[in-house]
Amino acid sequence: MNNRILVQILRRLKIFLGSRTPPAMVKIGQKADPFRILVGCLLSSRTRDEVTESACARLFRRVKSPRTLLKLSTRQLEREIYPVAFYRNKARVLKTLCSDLGDRFNGEVPETLEDLLTLKGVGRKTANLTLILAFDGMGICVDTHVHRITNRWGYVETATPDQTEAALRGKLPARYWRSFNEWLVGFGQTCCKPMSPLCSECPVEKYCPRIGVDRHR
Ligand code: SF4
């Protein structure tokens, strides 16, 4: 698939998504500081949007900074973020992350992708999303939706999300980088689902070669 077709697809997706509720992290990012955005990104991994939103609301009533988070015990932190996926592991990651922020960045969230990636527990998806939402930076956040859908379209041919990010950095026009994740997450949650996508209702069906799709509706 070339960029001329991709632009057609993205135009249609924008109309299709219209006034749908944006993903949880976009909503959180509209009114939060970099620390809350970074923590929210970590909590959102493999967790439903409504669970992420309520866990963030609960946690941020008590926690305003890395320093205040470190005052909570791991058990207290687990209770605040429950029932996000892997809440026990995420509570430990948050403690380590906040120590790291205090030790190396004076309690502030760093503003570059390179520095974000040095933080303990922060992978490429979280680093890119934080860069985009907190600092209006140039990143491409590749999660499971972006990886799956761009491969179904044949826009990339990759085996992992990291490979997809590298491929997108090489060919996706820069003006789409920051919005790409938001659009594809919305599309992936409602239409191009992981199992049995709704191809009969898909606004971009005529452009899609459905690579790797065995079953659809
Ligand atoms: S046609 Fe099916 S596989 Fe292709 S983008 Fe649409 S929903 Fe996804």
Side-chain angles (χ1 to χ4, degrees):
M1 177 183 289
N2 59 37
N3 276 334
R4 194 178 51 79
I5 295 176
L6 181 85
V7 169
Q8 296 297 322
I9 286 180
L10 294 180
R11 279 194 188 133
R12 284 172 180 247
L13 284 194
K14 209 171 165 187
I15 295 166
F16 172 77
L17 293 168
S19 57
R20 275 170 213 262
T21 309
M25 276 319 301
V26 173
K27 280 200 273 177
I28 291 167
Q30 284 164 351
K31 52 188 177 190
D33 59 63
F35 174 66
R36 291 181 191 213
I37 290 170
L38 176 58
V39 171
C41 289
L42 285 166
L43 295 184
S44 71
S45 171
R46 296 177 180 249
T47 301
R48 290 201 319 277
D49 278 4
E50 56 273 27
V51 175
T52 302
E53 285 182 58
S54 60
C56 284
R58 249 188 340 270
L59 180 66
F60 296 140
R61 271 198 290 272
R62 294 185 70 176
V63 166
K64 313 289 182 202
S65 66
R67 193 172 50 80
T68 52
L69 187 142
L70 286 170
K71 286 184 178 163
L72 297 182
S73 69
T74 305
R75 288 301 299 273
Q76 286 173 319
L77 199 46
E78 287 174 1
R79 276 200 294 275
E80 294 296 335
I81 65 174
Y82 178 85
V84 299
F86 311 111
Y87 67 94
R88 287 204 168 99
N89 186 45
K90 286 178 182 173
R92 282 198 301 276
V93 167
L94 286 179
K95 296 277 272 187
T96 310
L97 170 70
C98 287
S99 295
D100 206 15
L101 286 172
D103 292 345
R104 295 195 298 127
F105 295 100
N106 201 26
E108 302 288 331
V109 176
E111 297 188 20
T112 68
L113 187 65
E114 292 71 26
D115 282 344
L116 284 162
L117 286 169
T118 67
L119 292 169
K120 292 180 180 136
V122 173
R124 296 200 66 87
K125 185 182 94 170
T126 296
N128 272 288
L129 194 52
T130 302
L131 183 70
I132 294 165
L133 294 176
F135 302 113
D136 208 17
M138 285 300 287
I140 305 179
C141 175
V142 176
D143 63 2
T144 174
H145 295 292
V146 173
H147 175 60
R148 177 181 73 255
I149 295 168
T150 51
N151 272 279
R152 282 177 175 172
W153 289 344
Y155 187 65
V156 299
E157 260 183 88
T158 52
T160 66
D162 284 0
Q163 287 176 11
T164 299
E165 186 196 327
L168 290 175
R169 282 178 180 273
K171 67 189 296 192
L172 181 66
R175 65 184 183 277
Y176 297 119
W177 283 24
R178 287 200 292 255
S179 311
F180 204 61
N181 179 271
E182 180 183 342
W183 292 347
L184 268 61
V185 169
F187 181 54
Q189 289 174 337
T190 53
C191 185
C192 194
K193 300 185 179 201
M195 311 292 288
S196 191
L198 303 174
C199 299
S200 60
E201 298 173 18
C202 177
V204 300
E205 191 261 345
K206 75 172 181 175
Y207 302 109
C208 179
R210 296 185 205 173
I211 293 168
V213 176
D214 299 326
R215 200 160 52 89
H216 58 86
R217 293 173 275 170

